[in-house]
Amino acid sequence: MIAWSVTVAAGAFVILSAVMIVVLLNLRGMIKQFQGSMGLMEERTRLLTEDAIQLLQRTDDVVLDLQQHIQKSAPFLDSIEAAGTVLRTTTKQVENISATLSHSVEQHVQHAHEENEQRMGPLFRTIDAALTVWSSWHRFSKASGESDPNEKE
């Protein structure tokens, strides 16, 4: 019986060993697949890293170019700003001069109008009086029978 026990134990050990070998072989295959997948992932990560580095380098170049363009255009923009300031100041001065001239012209016109009224008022009154006298004399002379030299016979 001991021989049978040893035989059964040896058989169980052989079966168990065979199962372990199969399990280890499957595990080895899975590890190889995992290593292949990891190698592929490492390669893709390396390519992605290279692309990211190139993209960052291009971005840095673009940013540097933009900074250079901004630095080059800064004096031009400053001169445009200065020209705008000068133009604004000039416009305000022209508006002030225009308002002053307009006010001065209005005062001169008003003054000239008042002077004309003062000078022309007596003249118009004299002309009105003369026309009234002439009209009265003309009516009086027609009424008295004198003929008007301008009338046709």
Side-chain angles (χ1 to χ4, degrees):
M1 202 73 127
I2 292 185
W4 281 101
S5 294
V6 172
T7 308
V8 169
F13 180 74
V14 169
I15 292 173
L16 185 60
S17 295
V19 168
M20 285 303 285
I21 289 173
V22 170
V23 167
L24 287 175
L25 287 174
N26 283 338
L27 185 61
R28 182 179 175 207
M30 288 173 57
I31 289 175
K32 282 186 178 184
Q33 282 181 342
F34 181 73
Q35 284 177 339
S37 296
M38 287 302 292
L40 186 60
M41 284 178 58
E42 285 176 3
E43 180 63 24
R44 288 184 179 170
T45 303
R46 185 187 63 77
L47 291 174
L48 184 61
T49 302
E50 288 176 1
D51 287 346
I53 289 171
Q54 288 177 357
L55 178 64
L56 288 173
Q57 183 61 42
R58 288 184 202 147
T59 304
D60 286 343
D61 293 343
V62 168
V63 168
L64 287 174
D65 285 346
L66 283 174
Q67 285 176 340
Q68 289 174 353
H69 288 299
I70 288 171
Q71 288 174 353
K72 288 178 183 176
S73 64
F76 176 69
L77 296 176
D78 290 341
S79 66
I80 288 176
E81 182 180 5
T85 302
V86 168
L87 186 60
R88 186 175 331 133
T89 304
T90 304
T91 302
K92 286 181 181 178
Q93 289 175 351
V94 166
E95 286 175 353
N96 290 339
I97 290 170
S98 175
T100 303
L101 284 175
S102 176
H103 181 68
S104 177
V105 166
E106 286 178 11
Q107 284 181 340
H108 285 299
V109 167
Q110 182 67 26
H111 182 67
H113 179 70
E114 289 171 1
E115 282 184 4
N116 285 340
E117 281 184 348
Q118 289 175 359
R119 277 191 255 157
M120 298 304 272
L123 178 65
F124 283 132
R125 284 192 295 274
T126 304
I127 290 173
D128 185 48
L131 286 174
T132 304
V133 168
W134 180 79
S135 176
S136 297
W137 178 75
H138 194 280
R139 269 186 275 138
F140 176 73
S141 59
K142 278 188 179 182
S144 62
E146 296 179 10
S147 65
D148 190 1
N150 292 333
E151 286 185 10
K152 294 184 181 177
E153 292 185 22

